[in-house]
Tab-separated table of all heavy atoms in Angstrom:
chain	number	residue	atom	x	y	z
A	1120	HIS	N	21.853	-12.569	60.788
A	1120	HIS	CA	21.927	-11.302	61.523
A	1120	HIS	C	22.747	-10.266	60.743
A	1120	HIS	O	22.320	-9.130	60.564
A	1120	HIS	CB	22.547	-11.564	62.898
A	1120	HIS	CG	22.266	-10.509	63.920
A	1120	HIS	ND1	22.648	-10.647	65.226
A	1120	HIS	CD2	21.642	-9.308	63.831
A	1120	HIS	CE1	22.263	-9.565	65.899
A	1120	HIS	NE2	21.660	-8.746	65.078
A	1174	HIS	N	24.743	-2.218	65.023
A	1174	HIS	CA	25.360	-3.481	64.592
A	1174	HIS	C	26.824	-3.292	64.229
A	1174	HIS	O	27.635	-4.187	64.485
A	1174	HIS	CB	24.543	-4.107	63.461
A	1174	HIS	CG	23.212	-4.622	63.945
A	1174	HIS	ND1	22.113	-3.805	64.041
A	1174	HIS	CD2	22.830	-5.831	64.414
A	1174	HIS	CE1	21.092	-4.513	64.543
A	1174	HIS	NE2	21.500	-5.747	64.776
A	1257	ASP	N	22.655	-6.882	71.888
A	1257	ASP	CA	21.463	-6.907	71.048
A	1257	ASP	C	20.467	-7.881	71.659
A	1257	ASP	O	20.750	-9.077	71.760
A	1257	ASP	CB	21.868	-7.363	69.632
A	1257	ASP	CG	20.748	-7.244	68.614
A	1257	ASP	OD1	19.566	-7.196	69.017
A	1257	ASP	OD2	21.066	-7.227	67.404
A	1261	HIS	N	16.068	-11.867	66.983
A	1261	HIS	CA	16.867	-12.307	65.831
A	1261	HIS	C	18.333	-12.546	66.228
A	1261	HIS	O	19.062	-13.202	65.503
A	1261	HIS	CB	16.752	-11.339	64.641
A	1261	HIS	CG	17.378	-9.991	64.818
A	1261	HIS	ND1	16.751	-8.815	64.462
A	1261	HIS	CD2	18.591	-9.601	65.294
A	1261	HIS	CE1	17.540	-7.781	64.713
A	1261	HIS	NE2	18.670	-8.233	65.223
B	272	MN3	MN1	20.297	-7.210	65.621
Side-chain angles (χ1 to χ4, degrees):
H1120 200 174
H1174 290 85
D1257 188 339
H1261 69 225

